[in-house]
Amino acid sequence: MQFVAYLNFDGNAEAAFDFYARCFGGKVTMRARYGDAPPEMPMPAEMRDKMMHVRLEVGDQVLMASDAMAAQCPYTPIKGCSVSIQLDSPEQAERIFHALAEGGTVQMPIQQTFWAERFGSLVDRYGVPWMINCPPAR
């Protein structure tokens, strides 16, 4: 079993996933636009170039998303949850935290805590809440 977060965006899923691929050192392995849908699935013209589905792979980890269709599923910002990342080194945690924080809002600056070598939380420029965690060395 594998739990995979599936995010919804307000029309900027492709830009977000291109950024995440650079930030995490991963690769976008699938991009399906609403305009790629078969004729029997008519899509609104304004959604033609938006992401129906985008998939990012980082090692054996997967993150997926789409752009919300206003008519069927209006976009609502993510609330009540965060994407949590577990990292092996404080340096890696700091690098990823600062990359995600650029243009976003830091909720808790990355720092050493009683439970982690490094921990920080933020909402990135695309509205996605993240928790960056590097457990103590064992």
Side-chain angles (χ1 to χ4, degrees), residues 23-134:
C23 182
F24 302 133
K27 183 177 181 181
V28 175
T29 58
M30 181 175 186
R31 293 175 203 261
R33 299 181 191 288
Y34 284 101
D36 298 332
E40 61 271 13
M41 287 181 64
M43 295 294 162
E46 68 272 9
M47 294 301 294
R48 182 162 193 71
D49 295 327
K50 302 298 180 189
M51 291 288 104
M52 181 187 294
H53 180 73
V54 59
R55 177 186 173 103
L56 172 69
E57 294 182 23
V58 182
D60 62 352
Q61 300 300 305
V62 174
L63 185 63
M64 298 187 294
S66 64
D67 286 313
M69 287 183 55
Q72 288 83 8
C73 177
Y75 175 75
T76 304
I78 299 168
K79 293 182 181 175
C81 70
S82 298
V83 180
S84 179
I85 303 173
Q86 305 298 307
L87 298 158
D88 294 330
S89 75
E91 297 78 20
Q92 187 182 32
E94 297 252 354
R95 181 189 65 75
I96 288 175
F97 181 89
H98 292 297
L100 289 170
E102 189 175 318
T105 304
V106 172
Q107 297 168 319
M108 180 178 172
I110 194 155
Q111 58 192 289
Q112 188 168 8
T113 66
F114 68 90
W115 71 85
E117 194 65 32
R118 292 290 185 283
F119 177 85
S121 63
L122 61 102
V123 176
D124 73 17
R125 68 181 98 167
Y126 300 103
V128 176
W130 296 91
M131 293 190 311
I132 309 302
N133 191 60
C134 175

